[in-house]
Amino acid sequence: MSAAPPARVVVVGGGITGLTAAYSLTPAGRALADPAQRDGAAPPGPPHPAVEVLVLESDDRLGGKIRTTDFAGHPVDEGADSFITRTPAAIELCRRLDIGPLVSPAQNGAFVVRTRRRTRLLRMPAGLVLGVPTSLRSMAALAGSGIVSARGVGRAALDLVRRDDWPGTEETVGEMVSRRLGSEMSQSLVGPLLGAVNAGDVDELEAVSAVPQLGEAARRGGSLMLALRRRPTAGTTVWPAGAFADWATARPAGSADASEPVFAGLRDGLGALPDALAARLRSAGSGAEIRTGV
Ligand SMILES: Cc1cc2nc3c(=O)[nH]c(=O)nc-3n(C[C@H](O)[C@H](O)[C@H](O)COP(=O)(O)OP(=O)(O)OC[C@H]3O[C@@H](n4cnc5c(N)ncnc54)[C@H](O)[C@@H]3O)c2cc1C
């Protein structure tokens, strides 16, 4: 009796969804698609019928909304930069593809582009919350960062001693930050940061709506720095490379240890994920083919 001809599947779109779907149809990817096998709860079942997979991508590149580019020597995720750790699928996929190390996004650090005189990428010091220093140490680090001048940081420090000067009417993010921390802090750091996060102009965004943490602190009166100091800053754990596999497999599906970061990214950028999937799909024996620019 001759073997049944392979099933033929066409996947339209080479973003992370299409590439993962295609990979799940290959011999190497099938175990991942079967939760029982994935968790080691069931032995491998009977062999699946052969499948030929064709991925059709209209763009010249794969990855869709996930794209990592090099900027001033650093990998920068232009789209998605992290995934939620509480859902184990993405972490499991990284483990199966043997890519890592995983990092909490905060560990990669945040940078500010400074275009005065020449374009420079300046690392944002630790201890800032929404760009606002919350300790003397973070103030000193900010003064040495090149992002804000020592004079600008000195002006911001007045926030600690100025009396409550809330005007009593709603103000914009820009007005609030300038009032409490000075115009340099507003223009060089907090404004661009909050404007980017909210995809808006800080001189038009209402403080209490756009950044409730700051807006409410300003309304309560007193120091923004002290008000924000009460809020915990994001964790900066990098899981040791050796512990990564153990951590991902030992953990029951869906469980979340409170000490784990909520988000995980890849040190070299999330673009490594579609790249690795594409490499597996293109490898001999996968039964898959990828066509771009179609
Ligand atoms: C700026 C930004 C930041 C984000 N940050 C995060 C984040 O931190 N964490 C997170 O989890 N998510 C984030 N997301 C969302 C996440 O990136 C997307 O949900 C995810 O990448 C979508 O993947 P996809 O494969 O479903 O779609 P897409 O990435 O859109 O891929 C679809 C692909 O299909 C192709 N295509 C479309 N039509 C056709 C056609 N007719 N024929 C052939 N090809 C076609 C497209 O060219 C594209 O390559 C972010 C999104 C953006 C834009």
Side-chain angles (χ1 to χ4, degrees), residues 12-18 56-59 63-66 78-82:
V12 179
I16 191 66
T17 306
L56 297 177
E57 167 55 52
S58 58
D59 203 351
K65 300 286 188 300
I66 296 179
E78 293 185 30
D81 62 4
S82 54

Side-chain angles (χ1 to χ4, degrees), residues 37-58:
Q37 283 190 43
R38 185 188 65 202
D39 300 337
H48 293 260
V51 180
E52 284 179 3
V53 190
L54 175 61
V55 179
L56 297 177
E57 167 55 52
S58 58

Side-chain angles (χ1 to χ4, degrees), residues 11-20 55-67 77-84 105 263-264 270 291 293-294:
V11 175
V12 179
I16 191 66
T17 306
L19 292 173
T20 308
V55 179
L56 297 177
E57 167 55 52
S58 58
D59 203 351
D60 289 335
R61 56 170 284 280
L62 297 166
K65 300 286 188 300
I66 296 179
R67 179 201 288 254
D77 281 313
E78 293 185 30
D81 62 4
S82 54
F83 40 76
I84 293 173
F263 295 103
L270 230 53
R291 290 186 206 157
V294 294

Side-chain angles (χ1 to χ4, degrees), residues 68-294:
T68 304
T69 50
D70 182 85
F71 183 77
H74 297 268
V76 173
D77 281 313
E78 293 185 30
D81 62 4
S82 54
F83 40 76
I84 293 173
T85 57
R86 280 152 215 258
T87 310
I91 291 177
E92 179 64 16
L93 182 61
C94 290
R95 196 183 70 78
R96 295 255 170 176
L97 296 171
D98 198 23
I99 52 174
L102 291 175
V103 293
S104 89
Q107 182 65 30
N108 278 339
F111 294 82
V112 174
V113 178
R114 181 82 179 254
T115 53
R116 202 175 299 162
R117 285 197 289 273
R118 64 190 171 93
T119 301
R120 287 194 299 158
L121 206 53
L122 303 171
R123 182 180 283 276
M124 220 153 81
L128 304 184
V129 180
L130 301 173
V132 178
T134 54
S135 64
L136 290 175
R137 179 180 292 192
S138 59
M139 251 186 265
L142 183 58
S145 69
I147 298 170
V148 178
S149 69
R151 186 185 171 136
V153 175
R155 165 62 184 86
L158 290 179
D159 171 73
L160 293 167
V161 294
R162 280 167 80 103
R163 62 176 176 76
D164 176 17
D165 54 359
W166 187 54
T169 55
E170 293 310 333
E171 54 188 347
T172 66
V173 174
E175 287 167 344
M176 176 189 67
V177 176
S178 295
R179 175 171 62 79
R180 292 302 311 180
L181 305 174
S183 58
E184 189 183 346
M185 274 288 283
S186 177
Q187 287 166 17
S188 300
L189 179 59
V190 184
L193 185 80
L194 297 180
V197 168
N198 289 281
D201 183 343
V202 286
D203 292 325
E204 293 179 5
L205 292 167
E206 188 186 60
V208 78
S209 307
V211 270
Q213 302 97 312
L214 282 178
E216 285 161 16
R219 267 181 170 181
R220 280 197 302 272
S223 163
L224 287 189
M225 291 187 192
L226 292 180
L228 288 174
R229 197 178 152 82
R230 291 183 213 114
R231 308 185 76 88
T233 51
T236 56
T237 314
V238 172
W239 299 312
F244 165 48
D246 298 344
W247 176 78
T249 49
R251 198 160 142 263
S255 78
D257 182 321
S259 64
E260 290 164 4
V262 177
F263 295 103
L266 289 167
R267 191 186 57 193
D268 298 328
L270 230 53
L273 203 44
D275 286 352
L277 283 166
R280 298 295 173 102
L281 288 167
R282 287 180 169 131
S283 66
S286 75
E289 183 190 347
I290 299 175
R291 290 186 206 157
T292 54
V294 294

